[in-house]
Amino acid sequence: NYTGELVIDLQFQQYLYEGSDFSEGLAVIRLNNKSGYINRKGEIVFEPTLYKGHPFKNGYAVIEKEYSERTIINKEGEILFDPVEQYKKQRQVKPTNKESLYLNDRVSDGVITFAITYYSTYPSTKKMGYFDMEGNMFFPFDYLVSNFNNELAKTYSNNRTKVGFIDKNGKIAIPLQFTTVSDFHNGKAIAQDSNTKKYGVIDAKGNYIIEPKYSYISKYFYKSDIV
């Protein structure tokens, strides 16, 4: 704790992954090469039976029962749905070639993004979409590269030189006019102007509320909204 007192014994395997930090009162731990979750008292909440656990966000976490077999649980440990089965069930066009679904590792804004890779073309092509927490699918987007935060997600130009934001309908909400941007938090995002290469802060409409005149702005800005 803050006074240097050991409050949870050194009993778990070393785990070089961000999930080992506490998130929403729970942390990922490893025992016998399997992952589970503990609470802030050090009590095991979900037994370590997983290949990997990911941090909780908005009351949900992505788990991997086996390598790359991802699904979503709530804080009661209940599995919400099988992403692969939901994709197959809701796919409007019957797949004719090999397709692979990759689920993001974090829930945000009550949805989780996923990517579908098509191996029928060379090089392979990709489309993206998202599930809500009831397993309803919204698909496809031409390209989606991040979680949703404040109802917006980052999206890139084809040559990946410009970035902007799309909404949950897959429509461009903020034009692709920045070199780099952070995710939105508290209605704000850090953005690098594509012309000056300087950093500022934008609102959810893409307007600068702090002009792009700095060489760098730390992401710790979000902790207290003080730059």
Side-chain angles (χ1 to χ4, degrees):
N1 60 18
Y2 287 118
T3 65
E5 178 187 6
L6 184 65
V7 294
I8 298 176
D9 290 338
L10 284 68
Q11 56 188 295
F12 306 113
Q13 289 176 277
Q14 186 176 7
Y15 194 35
L16 299 178
Y17 176 69
E18 66 171 335
S20 59
D21 292 334
F22 275 93
S23 176
E24 300 188 359
L26 298 172
V28 180
I29 54 91
R30 266 182 98 71
L31 280 174
N32 301 319
N33 297 316
K34 294 288 186 179
S35 295
Y37 292 84
I38 60 171
N39 60 23
R40 296 182 69 86
K41 295 180 180 179
E43 301 167 336
I44 292 179
V45 178
F46 305 133
E47 292 292 330
T49 60
L50 307 171
Y51 172 79
K52 184 181 286 188
H54 296 271
F56 271 86
K57 178 76 172 178
N58 303 136
Y60 304 100
V62 175
I63 60 170
E64 296 182 46
K65 293 179 287 185
E66 300 294 340
Y67 174 72
S68 201
E69 292 183 12
R70 293 183 171 183
T71 188
I72 306 166
I73 61 171
N74 58 24
K75 285 195 171 180
E76 285 69 50
E78 300 167 331
I79 294 177
L80 301 189
F81 59 89
D82 183 322
V84 174
E85 288 304 314
Q86 288 297 323
Y87 171 73
K88 290 179 180 178
K89 183 186 300 184
Q90 298 179 58
R91 183 81 156 86
Q92 292 183 352
V93 179
K94 184 177 180 180
T96 57
N97 296 287
K98 185 177 180 182
E99 300 178 1
S100 176
L101 182 146
Y102 184 79
L103 197 69
N104 207 325
D105 64 4
R106 193 165 301 190
V107 173
S108 189
D109 270 5
V111 301
I112 184 165
T113 55
F114 65 86
I116 300 293
T117 303
Y118 301 93
Y119 294 103
S120 57
T121 61
Y122 183 82
S124 60
T125 56
K126 183 182 291 186
K127 295 284 187 180
M128 300 192 75
Y130 65 88
F131 293 108
D132 65 19
M133 293 301 97
E134 295 179 352
N136 298 310
M137 184 175 76
F138 298 83
F139 175 79
F141 295 155
D142 287 331
Y143 206 78
L144 179 67
V145 295
S146 74
N147 295 318
F148 278 93
N149 288 283
N150 293 153
E151 305 297 315
L152 298 174
K154 290 183 288 187
T155 188
Y156 282 89
S157 60
N158 290 334
N159 59 8
R160 298 182 67 84
T161 60
K162 298 286 183 69
V163 59
F165 289 87
I166 62 174
D167 62 23
K168 287 183 177 178
N169 294 315
K171 296 181 180 179
I172 298 295
I174 298 176
L176 284 66
Q177 57 186 309
F178 309 106
T179 302
T180 61
V181 290
S182 68
D183 290 332
F184 271 94
H185 294 275
N186 301 328
K188 308 176 187 70
I190 297 168
Q192 183 184 28
D193 188 87
S194 59
N195 295 318
T196 66
K197 307 304 180 185
K198 296 291 186 178
Y199 288 85
V201 176
I202 60 173
D203 62 19
K205 294 183 179 180
N207 301 315
Y208 281 106
I209 55 177
I210 296 177
E211 290 299 318
K213 57 183 179 180
Y214 299 100
S215 298
Y216 180 73
I217 296 178
S218 168
K219 290 184 180 179
Y220 284 106
F221 161 82
Y222 299 130
K223 299 297 182 180
S224 61
D225 277 350
I226 296 175
V227 179

